[in-house]
Amino acid sequence: MRAIPIPITVTALAAALLLTACDSGGSGTGSGDKNTGGTACRITEVGVQVGPANAAPAAGDTGNVPVTVTNRGARCTLEGFPGATLSAGDVTATVPQDKSGKPEKLTLAKDDTASFTLTYVRGKENDAKSLAVTSLKLSLPGASGSQDFPWSYGPVQGRKNAGDPDASVTALQQAGD
């Protein structure tokens, strides 16, 4: 009865091929990223929560502002550093990237989250080297558009001057489970 093993072998081989073509959407590494189409997450299609912060209480102290991004649309990717700009009236300052961490390519399904942290040194009130920040503008890597958020954590110290903030943003990281 040699006819029986051949259909079973073909069925097993077909099932194995189908299973290797599937993507669990898990860690965002390996061949699963190829199935995302390379669509960058857009700030208009995500929810953004700024804070609650570990605000710097006094001039010279360091504060941390966590930011959580929740995908509200179709599967998308994030890779790199978010854009962050501090504003005080007509004066703006771009927050530099914290290069101590390496960005990873993240794939976010609907309701998946990623996060990053903006770290800053609080400046002195009415000091020429401090930027009296009133808003934070955020953007996501690989996509156009930005969103403004109120800043209530005090002035930010400048390194050389108010336009060179003593602050940094980390790379995006997978958040949650």
Side-chain angles (χ1 to χ4, degrees):
M1 300 237 139
R2 293 183 171 247
I4 294 174
I6 293 174
I8 292 173
T9 303
V10 171
T11 303
L13 179 60
L17 289 172
L18 284 173
L19 287 174
T20 59
C22 292
D23 174 31
S24 67
S27 67
T29 60
S31 63
D33 288 338
K34 295 176 186 172
N35 296 332
T36 65
T39 305
C41 297
R42 292 182 291 213
I43 200 143
T44 57
E45 296 177 356
V46 299
V48 179
Q49 179 181 346
V50 177
N54 174 19
D61 291 340
T62 300
N64 297 300
V65 182
V67 178
T68 303
V69 176
T70 304
N71 184 16
R72 298 289 182 220
R75 182 178 297 263
C76 62
T77 59
L78 291 168
E79 185 173 16
F81 291 87
T85 304
L86 301 171
S87 298
D90 294 338
V91 180
T92 61
T94 301
V95 177
Q97 300 168 350
D98 178 354
K99 298 287 188 170
S100 66
K102 182 181 178 211
E104 296 180 20
K105 185 171 185 178
L106 307 176
T107 301
L108 300 182
K110 185 174 180 164
D111 296 327
D112 282 352
T113 59
S115 64
F116 65 93
T117 301
L118 186 151
T119 301
Y120 71 99
V121 174
R122 185 167 180 148
K124 295 178 184 175
E125 297 285 339
N126 302 316
D127 184 59
K129 285 184 67 174
S130 295
L131 185 62
V133 179
T134 56
S135 70
L136 169 65
K137 181 180 285 192
L138 298 175
S139 62
L140 298 176
S144 60
S146 61
Q147 192 171 352
D148 291 310
F149 298 89
W151 180 271
S152 59
Y153 312 116
V156 175
Q157 179 66 41
R159 289 187 171 110
K160 297 175 187 170
N161 56 48
D164 180 25
D166 192 354
S168 63
V169 291
T170 63
L172 287 145
Q173 303 173 35
Q174 194 78 41
D177 297 353

